[in-house]
Amino acid sequence: MDKGRIWAYIKEHILKDQRNSGYIRIYYDYVPDKAAATINEANELLTTDCSDCHHEALRLLLSVRNDERAQNALGVAYWLCGQRNEALDCFRRAAANGNANARENLRQLEALNEK
């Protein structure tokens, strides 16, 4: 059209910035949160009066012990299984990460240790 002037204009003024353009492709993949399921299962076991259940909860939580979300529950499991020093460590770690329940558990455990 118009002896190629329209194409020349489009090429020079519109397409010039797009010559070195690229694009990014993003793929999403569903990855189930197995740690959350384990923590939830252990929390259910910790609400019972069953010593065997507490030990089972501890076993489950040890499998996700590096997950910050598990620290308070792990502290409770240690506490119920009679391992107070380990419980203190877990409560301190969870409290340092802002877990209000862990702060309260830490306060209660430290009060018991003072007696």
Side-chain angles (χ1 to χ4, degrees), residues 59-70:
R59 185 191 67 75
L60 287 170
L61 290 166
L62 286 173
S63 70
V64 293
R65 68 179 154 264
N66 294 325
D67 192 316
E68 291 302 319
R69 300 171 295 176

Side-chain angles (χ1 to χ4, degrees), residues 74-98:
L74 185 56
V76 171
Y78 275 133
W79 187 352
L80 292 173
C81 292
Q83 300 177 37
R84 292 192 177 195
N85 290 334
E86 291 84 353
L88 277 169
D89 291 340
C90 291
F91 290 144
R92 286 183 184 124
R93 184 172 168 184
N97 285 321

Side-chain angles (χ1 to χ4, degrees), residues 9-105:
Y9 179 85
I10 290 173
K11 190 169 114 182
E12 180 62 29
H13 295 95
I14 297 173
L15 299 177
K16 180 178 181 181
D17 292 338
Q18 296 179 6
R19 284 189 191 133
N20 293 318
S21 296
Y23 67 93
I24 296 174
R25 222 179 240 186
I26 299 174
Y27 294 94
Y28 293 96
D29 197 9
Y30 175 73
V31 179
D33 189 354
K34 293 180 183 178
T38 301
I39 295 166
N40 290 338
E41 183 181 350
N43 280 330
E44 288 295 318
L45 292 169
L46 292 172
T47 61
T48 68
D49 291 332
C50 169
S51 177
D52 289 339
C53 296
H54 299 159
H55 284 84
E56 176 63 15
L58 179 58
R59 185 191 67 75
L60 287 170
L61 290 166
L62 286 173
S63 70
V64 293
R65 68 179 154 264
N66 294 325
D67 192 316
E68 291 302 319
R69 300 171 295 176
Q71 293 307 304
N72 185 56
L74 185 56
V76 171
Y78 275 133
W79 187 352
L80 292 173
C81 292
Q83 300 177 37
R84 292 192 177 195
N85 290 334
E86 291 84 353
L88 277 169
D89 291 340
C90 291
F91 290 144
R92 286 183 184 124
R93 184 172 168 184
N97 285 321
N99 188 314
N101 292 329
R103 280 193 295 271
E104 179 60 22
N105 290 337

